[in-house]
């Protein structure tokens, strides 16, 4: 087994009340590549991960995306003792630890860039992001305007104020080497975020296994068309695309 990248100054964190099994898989995939100071799953689900390095922290249910933002901005820092926190979600994780750059830790916030912005405030995505503990503490400051989604609150709404407090957000080029999402190259980054990237990042068969274990398949709705097209071209395409469509019909009725 290859030696894992030592990152003792980083706490790996995931916060979720849905798709928890897939979230555990993302933590395990990351831990296969990096050796961190701590690995935490903050959830209301009762489970014991097989991986001995994952510690479960019981929390109240996260009932919405807005509630997730509020928790990450105000409560997650209470569980982080290291200088930095690597936040991941079920649809993103560390891909290639050899692409780690020490300069990542020289910044207080780094996540995949947002190609839709051209004003320089374009870093970045929170679903796979590295943030310093001192930045996380500032997110609880009375002057910080908390909003949803939490990554926009950090990367855009409060960026100027955060920089005024001495925080350094990564430049776009570095962010694109850190992670791929709407921009960047999933084949040339340390990690990624985005369910539509999963077939490319982990392979179609592995993605299908993850998908079948999801307890909220409606979470792929925003990127359904992209996933459907990739699935159509893969093995068992007709059967699997039919299942995807049916699942979305059911999730909309339940929603």
């Amino acid at each position: 087994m290859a030696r894992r990248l030592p990152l003792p100054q980083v706490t790996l964190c995931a916060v979720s009340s849905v798709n928890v099994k897939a979230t555990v898989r993302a933590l395990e995939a990351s831990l296969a590549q990096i050796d961190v100071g701590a690995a935490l799953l903050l959830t209301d689900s009762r489970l014991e991960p097989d991986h001995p390095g994952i510690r479960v922290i019981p929390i109240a249910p996260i009932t919405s995306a807005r509630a997730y933002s509020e928790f990450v901005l105000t409560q997650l820092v209470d569980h982080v003792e290291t200088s930095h926190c690597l936040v991941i979600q079920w649809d993103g994780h560390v891909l290639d630890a050899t692409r780690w750059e020490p300069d990542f830790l020289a910044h207080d916030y780094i996540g995949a860039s947002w190609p839709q912005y051209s004003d320089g405030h374009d870093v970045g995505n929170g679903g796979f992001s590295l943030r310093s503990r001192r930045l996380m503490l500032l997110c609880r400051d009375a002057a910080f305007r908390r909003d949803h989604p939490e990554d926009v609150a950090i990367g855009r709404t409060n960026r100027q104020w955060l920089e005024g407090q001495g925080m350094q957000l990564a430049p776009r080029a570095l962010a694109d080497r850190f992670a791929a999402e709407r921009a960047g190259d999933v084949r040339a980054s340390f990690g990624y975020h985005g369910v539509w990237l999963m077939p490319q990042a982990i392979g179609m068969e592995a993605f299908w296994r993850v998908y079948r274990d999801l307890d909220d398949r409606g979470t792929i709705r925003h990127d359904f068309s992209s996933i459907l097209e990739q699935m159509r071209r893969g093995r068992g395409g007709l059967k699997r695309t039919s299942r995807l469509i049916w699942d979305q019909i059911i999730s909309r009725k339940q929603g």
Side-chain angles (χ1 to χ4, degrees), residues 6 25 49 53 55 73 77 82 91 104 120 122 125 134 136 148 150 157 159 169 189 206-207 213 220-221 238:
R25 186 207 62 83
R55 181 157 57 97
L73 289 174
V77 66
T82 54
D91 55 348
F104 293 159
D122 51 6
N125 168 255
R134 62 179 187 168
M136 296 171 76
H148 170 69
E150 56 90 17
T157 307
R159 177 166 178 159
L169 279 72
S189 58
F207 167 71
D213 282 337
I220 76 163
R221 185 175 301 142
L238 179 59

Side-chain angles (χ1 to χ4, degrees), residues 20-174:
V20 177
K21 187 173 181 179
T23 304
V24 171
R25 186 207 62 83
L27 287 167
E28 291 173 342
S30 297
L31 289 173
Q33 301 250 355
I34 59 175
D35 185 9
V36 293
L40 309 179
L41 172 60
L42 298 99
T43 183
D44 59 302
S45 296
R46 296 183 179 181
L47 79 166
E48 294 185 10
D50 293 332
H51 197 293
I54 300 173
R55 181 157 57 97
V56 176
I57 306 295
I59 60 172
I62 302 294
T63 57
S64 66
R66 183 173 291 276
Y68 172 86
S69 288
E70 180 70 12
F71 184 94
V72 170
L73 289 174
T74 64
Q75 299 183 54
L76 182 57
V77 66
D78 292 330
H79 304 280
V80 176
E81 298 180 357
T82 54
S83 67
H84 285 74
C85 177
L86 178 59
V87 174
I88 69 170
Q89 296 175 355
W90 73 268
D91 55 348
H93 53 79
V94 176
L95 276 177
D96 185 354
T98 67
R99 297 192 179 277
W100 172 265
E101 299 182 30
D103 199 28
F104 293 159
L105 287 172
H107 295 82
D108 294 286
Y109 187 87
I110 181 169
S113 68
W114 291 315
Q116 66 269 37
Y117 300 121
S118 58
D119 59 2
H121 290 184
D122 51 6
V123 174
N125 168 255
F128 182 87
S129 58
L130 184 70
R131 54 192 82 189
S132 70
R133 190 174 189 277
R134 62 179 187 168
L135 179 138
M136 296 171 76
L137 286 170
L138 280 173
C139 291
R140 299 204 295 201
D141 192 285
F144 183 91
R145 289 180 289 164
R146 292 199 298 275
D147 201 359
H148 170 69
E150 56 90 17
D151 50 6
V152 173
I154 293 171
R156 292 188 59 79
T157 307
N158 294 277
R159 177 166 178 159
Q160 186 173 359
W161 180 81
L162 287 168
E163 290 175 333
Q165 307 305 306
M167 297 297 99
Q168 294 188 45
L169 279 72
R172 182 169 190 156
L174 186 68

Side-chain angles (χ1 to χ4, degrees), residues 188-217:
S189 58
F190 173 66
Y192 80 102
H193 175 257
V195 63
W196 69 95
L197 289 175
M198 291 185 79
Q200 183 180 354
I202 67 175
M204 187 64 74
E205 295 304 312
F207 167 71
W208 186 248
R209 289 193 295 271
V210 172
Y211 174 77
R212 292 299 302 273
D213 282 337
L214 298 181
D215 51 77
D216 183 3
R217 293 174 183 168

